[in-house]
């Protein structure tokens, strides 16, 4: 299942239906706008819980010293920073993001904190990754897949650059499993987030888009099926915070 529709070549930008070839630029505008306040907004929006979600992702990745890791849509570098410490001087971490503003914020932040030596920074489109086949032991994409125009193409591209036995981990907002949580989450997302975005980042429209993009993202079972279609095996997912977020994991055979 893909977000693109071959007959009319349209896709979703939040709740809007737009021409597929315009989505990338529209998403880029969102992240150019929010890049400088991205980390602060993440802490405020999730009450800091995003750090626990990311820690669980690292734990589930099985990353070891000497591994090669791709942190896709890595933004400001939360996962890259932790992976850099784990893989050590014999490993490498590639922080890749399609958005130059996010990539610059991440590079400046990690360099200022002394993370140099085993980290590379690459501006890359998830749908056509500029890496050789069988390059990475682990790929993570955290809160980025829902912004990709053709998710199926991106999953195929990630599978291609994984080494046999390599692991893909997709951390993303998903469908809450509890009806009460779902109602509370909707109210929070569509009432509080745009207001918070306006007050903190000076941009309510971008956070309205983020709330809508979460609702348009495939649910847990659908995404699991998409990963299997891309060629991954032993695909599974783990719900966190009552399914507000899910971590999907698949292995390249």
């Amino acid at each position: 299942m893909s977000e693109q529709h071959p007959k009319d070549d349209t896709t979703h930008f939040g709740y809007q239906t737009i021409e597929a070839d315009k989505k990338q630029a529209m998403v880029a505008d969102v992240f150019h706008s929010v890049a400088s306040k991205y980390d602060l907004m993440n802490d405020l929006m999730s009450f800091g819980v995003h750090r626990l979600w990311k820690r669980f992702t690292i734990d589930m990745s099985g990353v070891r010293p000497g591994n090669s890791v791709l942190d896709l849509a890595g933004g400001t570098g939360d996962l890259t920073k932790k992976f850099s410490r784990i893989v050590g001087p014999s490993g490498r971490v590639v922080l890749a993001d399609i958005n130059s503003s996010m990539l610059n914020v991440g590079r400046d932040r990690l360099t200022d904190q002394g993370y140099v030596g085993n980290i590379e920074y690459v501006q890359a489109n998830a749908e056509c990754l500029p890496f050789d086949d069988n390059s990475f032991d682990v790929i993570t994409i955290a809160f980025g897949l829902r912004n990709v125009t053709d998710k199926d193409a991106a999953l195929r591209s990630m599978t291609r650059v994984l080494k046999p036995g390599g692991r893909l981990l997709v951390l993303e907002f998903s469908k809450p499993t509890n009806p009460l949580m779902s109602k509370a989450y909707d109210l929070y997302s569509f009432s509080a987030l745009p207001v918070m975005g306006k007050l903190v980042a000076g941009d309510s429209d971008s956070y309205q888009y983020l709330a809508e993009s979460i609702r348009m993202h495939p649910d847990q079972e659908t995404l699991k099926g998409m990963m299997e279609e891309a060629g991954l095996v032993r695909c599974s997912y783990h719900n966190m915070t009552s399914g507000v977020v899910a971590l999907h994991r698949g292995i390249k055979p």
Side-chain angles (χ1 to χ4, degrees):
M1 174 181 171
S2 172
E3 196 178 48
Q4 275 188 273
H5 309 289
K7 287 183 180 176
D8 54 12
D9 206 23
T10 60
T11 189
H12 297 291
F13 179 77
Y15 287 164
Q16 299 176 55
T17 298
I18 61 168
E19 293 175 35
D21 59 5
K22 292 183 178 176
K23 178 166 181 174
Q24 188 174 314
M26 293 172 74
V27 171
D29 288 343
V30 168
F31 285 92
H32 285 313
S33 173
V34 304
S36 64
K37 299 288 187 180
Y38 187 76
D39 289 329
L40 174 60
M41 282 297 295
N42 273 353
D43 279 329
L44 291 173
M45 288 189 303
S46 71
F47 306 102
V49 179
H50 76 100
R51 298 177 185 276
L52 299 178
W53 298 332
K54 289 172 181 172
R55 188 181 305 163
F56 182 75
T57 302
I58 299 237
D59 290 344
M60 290 293 289
S61 72
V63 168
R64 294 187 289 276
N67 276 175
S68 187
V69 180
L70 173 60
D71 180 14
L72 190 55
T76 53
D78 280 351
L79 292 175
T80 291
K81 182 163 61 172
K82 293 179 174 63
F83 283 137
S84 173
R85 290 201 295 262
I86 295 170
V87 303
S90 62
R92 71 164 180 151
V93 183
V94 177
L95 194 169
D97 203 292
I98 196 171
N99 188 276
S100 59
S101 297
M102 295 291 287
L103 198 60
N104 289 335
V105 169
R107 181 174 54 214
D108 292 348
R109 176 188 177 203
L110 296 187
T111 303
D112 289 348
Q113 293 175 5
Y115 287 88
V116 294
N118 65 358
I119 301 176
E120 302 166 29
Y121 300 91
V122 177
Q123 188 169 357
N125 183 339
E127 296 175 25
C128 46
L129 292 169
F131 306 110
D132 292 337
D133 295 359
N134 310 317
S135 293
F136 296 98
D137 298 288
V138 172
I139 299 175
T140 56
I141 180 166
F143 305 114
L145 186 61
R146 73 179 187 281
N147 298 309
V148 174
T149 305
D150 189 338
K151 296 173 179 59
D152 291 312
L155 290 168
R156 288 193 301 270
S157 187
M158 290 180 240
T159 301
R160 178 185 65 78
V161 303
L162 270 177
K163 295 177 182 178
R167 300 166 296 286
L168 170 64
L169 292 102
V170 180
L171 180 65
E172 189 54 89
F173 293 106
S174 201
K175 185 172 177 57
T177 54
N178 180 303
L180 287 177
M181 171 65 84
S182 186
K183 287 182 181 177
Y185 183 45
D186 279 345
L187 183 64
Y188 172 70
S189 298
F190 290 104
S191 300
L193 286 194
V195 173
M196 204 182 294
K198 180 70 173 174
L199 292 174
V200 176
D203 182 351
S204 61
D205 289 347
S206 290
Y207 285 92
Q208 179 73 23
Y209 159 72
L210 291 175
E212 292 176 3
S213 71
I214 290 167
R215 297 312 180 283
M216 299 305 293
H217 186 67
D219 65 19
Q220 288 92 324
E221 283 293 331
T222 303
L223 180 54
K224 179 185 173 188
M226 292 166 67
M227 291 172 68
E228 291 167 344
E229 282 287 315
L232 296 165
V233 298
R234 291 162 57 192
C235 297
S236 61
Y237 59 86
H238 183 92
N239 286 323
M240 294 181 276
T241 317
S242 297
V244 167
V245 164
L247 177 65
H248 282 70
R249 183 177 183 225
I251 296 172
K252 181 172 178 176

